Amino acid sequence: MSRLTLTGAGGAGGASLYTDATSLWKMDEASGDALDAIGGEDGTDVNTVGSAAGLVDGARLMVKTSSEYFSIPDSADLKGGAKSFTVACMFYPVTVTSDTGIFSRWSYSPAANREWIIYLNGGTIRFFVSYNGLSASNINTGITLTSGSWHKIVCWYDHSGQEIGVSINDGTPSTLSLSSDYLSGLHSSVQPTEIGAYLAGRTADGRFDQVGHWNRVLSAADITSYNDLTAYP
């Protein structure tokens, strides 16, 4: 798999979507590690993640009973702190299960190691953030995922606006204003970034495509471009 060359015009699938992108895991490998098409933050294959048809070329298939996921070592590029960011993924649940990590930097051991997590609880998507590694704020979208369907999940932390938000399938965003506890930013943990898991055990059951991290808040137009993505710039 080649690294992306960000040339060409913006628009659906255009290069503007990748401005300030830290990482994009295209998930089009047949097997093995998930390669980062923009940076060098490749995800280590844990327990032999499979492959399947995706929305943009291929996808990676994780089986919950086998505890399959990708683990990306802690790095400065993916840390929280006093900066805005957006995280996104296309997720196709084979089964909709509770207590499932979708995309995360979140752990209870060691203590004070919680940063952010896209989390599936009771079939609904929630986005949690923490300012001190222990206490957390979250959005419960109330949107129940459907097994056998693709869901395009975009979550962000707006440091200057002191807000978090979630958009699913380019729908009306759910947002939450944060307390003054977050004025210094999110906790900067030493937790690996995990795709399809948190705590290296609460794993997902389904396909993943186009998992991304940006060091900015995506615009509404960028979110639409992500949802409409069918090819690379």
Side-chain angles (χ1 to χ4, degrees):
M1 187 201 73
S2 62
R3 307 289 182 182
L4 286 178
T5 300
L6 302 184
T7 59
S16 68
L17 176 61
Y18 301 105
T19 301
D20 298 331
T22 305
S23 296
L24 174 68
W25 298 274
K26 294 165 65 177
M27 298 290 170
D28 59 358
E29 307 86 4
S31 62
D33 295 346
L35 303 183
D36 178 2
I38 292 176
E41 311 293 347
D42 295 344
T44 300
D45 179 359
V46 179
N47 293 325
T48 315
V49 178
S51 61
L55 283 176
V56 185
D57 203 0
R60 299 304 297 271
L61 174 63
M62 301 179 189
V63 178
K64 187 176 183 69
T65 55
S66 298
S67 298
E68 299 169 1
Y69 66 100
F70 293 110
S71 179
I72 301 145
D74 179 40
S75 74
D77 285 341
L78 300 177
K79 282 184 179 292
K83 62 181 181 182
S84 299
F85 68 87
T86 301
V87 287
C89 66
M90 300 179 184
F91 178 52
Y92 177 106
V94 174
T95 58
V96 177
T97 57
S98 190
D99 196 22
T100 295
I102 304 300
F103 192 17
S104 72
R105 287 179 57 82
W106 195 270
S107 180
Y108 301 118
S109 178
N113 219 22
R114 308 172 200 177
E115 194 171 310
W116 57 263
I117 181 173
I118 305 174
Y119 173 70
L120 185 60
N121 182 46
T124 62
I125 286 293
R126 301 176 74 172
F127 181 50
F128 285 77
V129 296
S130 176
Y131 67 89
N132 65 357
L134 292 171
S135 304
S137 301
N138 78 93
I139 291 176
N140 184 347
T141 64
I143 297 174
T144 301
L145 300 193
T146 304
S147 61
S149 298
W150 283 101
H151 305 271
K152 301 167 184 179
I153 304 164
V154 181
C155 302
W156 61 90
Y157 166 66
D158 183 348
H159 180 61
S160 61
Q162 285 294 284
E163 182 181 83
I164 57 175
V166 181
S167 174
I168 299 177
N169 295 332
D170 204 16
T172 301
S174 301
T175 59
L176 175 71
S177 296
L178 298 171
S179 71
S180 59
D181 291 325
Y182 288 86
L183 290 175
S184 296
L186 298 191
H187 180 61
S188 184
S189 75
V190 297
Q191 171 69 14
T193 301
E194 295 175 343
I195 301 173
Y198 81 103
L199 296 178
R202 271 76 170 209
T203 53
D205 196 47
R207 307 181 204 173
F208 283 80
D209 201 352
Q210 308 308 301
V211 181
H213 182 287
W214 293 256
N215 280 322
R216 64 184 176 96
V217 176
L218 293 187
S219 68
D222 283 332
I223 293 174
T224 297
S225 290
Y226 178 79
N227 274 266
D228 293 344
L229 189 65
T230 58
Y232 302 109

